[in-house]
Amino acid sequence: MRLFGCNRVQCLSVVLTLYVASLVIAAPARGAQQRPVQRRELKLQIDDFVLTDQSGKDFEFKNLNGKVVIVAFAYTTCPDVCPLITAAMREVQSNLSAAEKKSVKLLTVTTDPEIDVPKVLANYAQRYGAELDSWSFLTGDEMVLKKVWKNFGVGVKRKARGLVDHTPLTGIVDPHGVLRFAYVGPSPDKNLVLKDVRSLLASR
Amino acid sequence: MDALYAQRCYNCHGPSGRGDGPIAASLPVAPPDFRVTVQRKSNPQIKRLITAGKGIMPAFEPALSQSQINDMLQMVRFLSREGRDISWWENFDALVAAHCSIPWEVVLGYDEPAEEKRP
C-alpha cells in the first residue's frame, strides 16, 4: 500500500520519527528536571552511520549488529540534564554482568560537535569512570550528526558556544538495529533500563 | 556575569551558591556550599575546578574564554560571602555600571567642586 508517495515502512518511519520528535516539545533539555522521565516503546529502524570515537577512530554503527545498544544524547559542557543522563548510563554499565557487557554497547552521541572533539570526549569519559570496552563517546561532522539526531528524533538547538538545547533522549536499540525503547528526561531509572536491555537480550 | 552564572551554574549551585539549584536534589552527589568550600580555596584552585571540571561538574574550558572563566570565578567568590545571592549581585552590577558612566562626584554627591576645577 502506498500513501502520500511512501510505502508502508517509510510511512511508519516518518510517523515514529515525528512521534519521538514531538517529545522534544514535551520535554526540552532546559527545565526538563521538573518532568519525570517518559518511557515509550516503539519500533524505529536506525540507519547506519559513521562517526568518530573518543580516541579519534572511525566508529561504524553497523558493526554493532547483534548487540543491544544503549544510546544517549548529551554534550560535555551541559549544565543541565546531560550530567544526570551520563551518570545514569554509568550506573547501568556498572550493573551489567561481565557476560552482558559482551552483548551490550553504550553510546553517548554528542549534540555539540563544535566543542566535543575526541580529546574533550576522552576527558569526559574518564571523569565518569566509563569502561571504554563497552562504551563509546561519539562526535563527528555536523552534517552526519544531524542525520543521526534526526533518525533518533532528537531536536538540537545551539544557544551559545558550549550551550545547546536538545531532547534528553536515552534509547535502547535491539540487535537488529531497531530503536525499541525511548526514555525522554534527565535521569532514566537504571532498573527499568536494565530490565528493557535484558528483555532484548533474552529475545535474541 | 550574572547571565553566565544563570546559564552555566545556577541549576546545580542555586541562587546563593549553597548547592540548592533546581536539579541539585536529582544529582548523585550534592553540590557544595560555596560559603564552605570556596572560602578555603585559592583563586587558581577554583579556576582549575571551573576549567577542568570535577565529578559530574562540566569542564568549561573548551566552551568559555579566559575572560568568562575569570568572571565565573569572581561570581563564585562573590556568592561565597554570607548573605549574598544573585539578586544582590544584580543590584551591585547596576551600581558598578552607574559608576562607570556617571561622574563619581554626581554618584557620591560631593558638595565641593572636583579637585581639578578648583582655582
Side-chain angles (χ1 to χ4, degrees):
Chain A
M1 183 186 81
R2 293 184 72 81
L3 186 65
F4 303 119
C6 307
N7 64 30
R8 189 186 300 177
V9 173
Q10 286 170 326
C11 284
L12 185 63
S13 291
V14 169
V15 168
L16 286 170
T17 302
L18 288 173
Y19 171 71
V20 176
S22 72
L23 298 175
V24 177
I25 298 163
R30 283 191 67 78
Q33 65 274 10
Q34 305 300 332
R35 298 170 187 275
V37 176
Q38 298 176 45
R39 175 184 172 277
R40 293 284 184 271
E41 292 184 28
L42 65 169
K43 286 187 179 177
L44 180 62
Q45 185 68 47
I46 300 302
D47 300 331
D48 185 33
F49 56 80
V50 181
L51 290 170
T52 305
D53 73 10
Q54 72 285 341
S55 60
K57 292 179 184 162
D58 280 355
F59 183 97
E60 282 191 65
F61 184 70
K62 70 177 180 191
N63 290 343
L64 301 177
N65 201 17
K67 289 191 174 188
V68 172
V69 187
I70 309 170
V71 189
F73 291 83
Y75 67 104
T76 64
T77 56
C78 174
D80 202 314
V81 296
C82 308
L84 300 175
I85 291 172
T86 309
M89 292 274 279
R90 177 72 186 91
E91 279 285 294
V92 168
Q93 187 183 42
S94 61
N95 278 277
L96 291 170
S97 69
E100 286 171 333
K101 281 176 187 170
K102 289 178 184 167
S103 304
V104 176
K105 182 78 176 180
L106 290 84
L107 300 179
T108 295
V109 179
T110 185
T111 54
D112 188 4
E114 181 186 3
I115 300 293
D116 290 342
V117 295
K119 188 182 171 189
V120 170
L121 289 175
N123 288 338
Y124 184 71
Q126 188 181 26
R127 277 216 324 281
Y128 278 86
E131 296 170 39
L132 297 175
D133 290 344
S134 57
W135 191 350
S136 294
F137 294 74
L138 304 179
T139 186
D141 182 77
E142 189 167 352
M143 293 309 292
V144 179
L145 279 165
K146 276 182 177 169
K147 286 181 187 166
V148 177
W149 299 333
K150 189 177 175 189
N151 196 180
F152 278 88
V154 171
V156 177
K157 187 179 178 188
R158 184 186 184 279
K159 296 178 73 184
R161 183 173 166 81
L163 201 61
V164 174
D165 271 356
H166 65 92
T167 312
L169 176 76
T170 305
I172 305 178
V173 180
D174 74 12
H176 308 291
V178 178
L179 178 63
R180 297 286 299 276
F181 302 99
Y183 295 82
V184 180
S187 190
D189 185 305
K190 74 165 192 247
N191 293 321
L192 270 179
V193 174
L194 285 165
K195 187 179 162 199
D196 288 338
V197 166
R198 284 169 182 150
S199 74
L200 293 177
L201 285 173
S203 65
R204 283 190 302 170
Chain B
M1 186 192 296
D2 51 339
L4 192 63
Y5 184 85
Q7 285 178 333
R8 318 269 177 164
C9 317
Y10 176 86
N11 274 337
C12 299
H13 293 288
S16 56
R18 294 182 190 181
D20 55 353
I23 67 167
S26 315
L27 297 173
V29 179
D33 184 334
F34 287 163
R35 294 171 303 174
V36 178
T37 55
V38 171
Q39 283 291 350
R40 62 169 188 248
K41 283 188 166 57
S42 66
N43 283 353
Q45 284 176 315
I46 298 167
K47 262 177 107 166
R48 198 154 46 244
L49 285 173
I50 294 170
T51 54
K54 185 181 180 187
I56 66 167
M57 178 179 146
F60 286 108
E61 187 170 37
L64 300 181
S65 66
Q66 278 305 309
S67 152
Q68 287 175 309
I69 287 169
N70 285 335
D71 283 351
M72 209 180 251
L73 165 67
Q74 282 185 41
M75 189 66 188
V76 164
R77 276 260 176 255
F78 172 83
L79 290 176
S80 72
R81 308 249 178 92
E82 187 65 48
R84 299 278 175 86
D85 62 24
I86 52 173
S87 61
W88 206 102
W89 171 259
E90 280 156 17
N91 295 334
F92 185 72
D93 209 16
L95 193 62
V96 170
H99 282 198
C100 293
S101 55
I102 301 171
W104 279 97
E105 56 268 36
V106 175
V107 174
L108 299 176
Y110 289 151
D111 292 330
E112 296 292 321
E115 191 79 21
E116 63 275 13
K117 290 182 183 170
R118 287 180 187 170

